[in-house]
């Protein structure tokens, strides 16, 4: 791969490379990549419903239930009845979920720092900004 490749190919290659480097971190902490994505989304604040959470992380809402079941069984998330709608559940991190997320995030940042070691701080900032723009553009 080189910088003349299509952007999608470059992003896919970078994503595979990072995911492979992060896999041991996730395994050490007993979470999958998708579970970490859920923990990261909830670290920003409780999701008003499971449906909203699925939309936020762009994950199939029917598959999210099993993912949340595992996180809840591990004591990392809680699903509480929504006071405004008894059929809905508010999803939030537990104190252990907050602790586990922070530990995983810290180690993943170390992996990222090693991967980006050849880039100047400004280049790292620009890269993160460009990737965030791509991820959020419609």
């Amino acid at each position: 791969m080189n910088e003349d490749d299509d952007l999608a190919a470059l992003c896919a290659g970078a994503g595979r490379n990072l995911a492979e480097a992060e896999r041991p971190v996730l395994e050490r902490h007993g979470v999958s990549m998708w579970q970490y994505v859920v923990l990261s989304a909830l670290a920003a604040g409780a999701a008003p419903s499971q449906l909203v959470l699925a939309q936020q992380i762009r994950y199939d809402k029917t598959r999210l239930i099993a993912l949340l079941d595992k996180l809840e069984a591990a004591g990392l998330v809680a699903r509480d009845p929504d006071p405004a709608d008894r059929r809905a559940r508010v999803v939030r991190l537990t104190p252990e979920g907050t602790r586990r997320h922070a530990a995983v995030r810290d180690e993943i940042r170390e992996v990222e720092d090693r991967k980006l070691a050849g880039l100047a701080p400004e280049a790292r900032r620009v890269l993160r900004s460009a990737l965030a723009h791509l991820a959020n553009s419609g």
Side-chain angles (χ1 to χ4, degrees):
M1 255 187 208
N2 65 58
E3 64 186 43
D4 291 333
D5 287 342
D6 291 337
L7 194 53
L10 290 170
C11 287
R16 282 190 303 274
N17 188 302
L18 284 168
E20 191 61 35
E22 294 169 359
R23 183 171 288 116
V25 171
L26 297 169
E27 288 174 355
R28 255 192 318 280
H29 290 278
V31 295
S32 71
M33 180 58 76
W34 275 110
Q35 289 172 330
Y36 177 66
V37 169
V38 168
L39 295 177
S40 295
L42 294 176
S49 72
Q50 293 174 171
L51 176 60
V52 169
L53 177 60
Q55 291 168 341
Q56 286 174 343
I57 66 172
R58 297 181 178 143
Y59 194 73
D60 183 302
K61 65 183 179 191
T62 60
R63 294 177 55 207
L64 181 64
I65 303 302
L67 198 61
L68 290 174
D69 287 346
K70 289 179 182 176
L71 288 168
E72 190 171 38
L76 302 178
V77 303
R79 291 180 279 190
D80 304 315
D82 181 345
D85 180 357
R86 292 181 164 211
R87 296 166 297 169
R89 297 278 182 251
V90 176
V91 186
R92 63 175 174 79
L93 286 179
T94 63
E96 174 59 18
T98 299
R99 187 204 64 74
R100 180 94 51 101
H101 173 262
V104 174
R105 183 169 188 238
D106 288 348
E107 285 190 43
I108 283 180
R109 288 296 166 111
E110 290 173 14
V111 169
E112 292 171 352
D113 286 345
R114 285 193 302 273
K115 291 287 185 182
L116 298 174
L119 294 177
E122 178 62 13
R124 291 180 189 201
R125 189 196 65 71
V126 170
L127 175 62
R128 283 186 183 276
S129 177
L131 290 173
H133 173 79
L134 280 173
N136 298 315
S137 65

